[in-house]
Amino acid sequence: KKLASIIKLPSNLIMKTEQRHWDENKGWVSESIKADLKDAQLVLVFGSPQHMQNKSLFDEIRQSYPQAYILGG
């Protein structure tokens, strides 16, 4: 059976997405329409080791998505 046929999801359930990238001159630049995602549950982060280890960048991500699990590597 397909998973979708086993799990019944509410019809009003909508997945919201946002894509941003870091620019040293501009800061965070949104690649999508800005949405209020303060209640996001999951954030996936991709980047160079140099950027991934930058605590201030991580803190900005945490501030933007305070309730989310943040995964990256």
Side-chain angles (χ1 to χ4, degrees), residues 8-72:
K8 199 153 188 137
L9 299 174
S11 61
N12 64 346
L13 186 65
I14 297 171
M15 185 167 108
K16 299 176 186 175
T17 62
E18 180 179 32
Q19 183 177 349
R20 295 184 187 183
H21 74 269
W22 174 254
D23 181 287
E24 290 188 26
N25 297 317
K26 299 177 184 176
W28 290 104
V29 178
S30 183
E31 299 291 329
S32 55
I33 297 172
K34 182 81 171 150
D36 181 19
L37 297 177
K38 292 278 187 197
D39 61 346
Q41 297 172 336
L42 178 65
V43 173
L44 303 176
V45 181
F46 304 92
S48 69
Q50 171 189 341
H51 288 101
M52 295 297 287
Q53 294 171 2
N54 184 325
K55 184 175 177 346
S56 65
L57 292 178
F58 179 83
D59 290 344
E60 289 178 31
I61 294 168
R62 169 56 63 209
Q63 185 177 359
S64 294
Y65 310 101
Q67 304 301 317
Y69 290 98
I70 300 174
L71 304 174

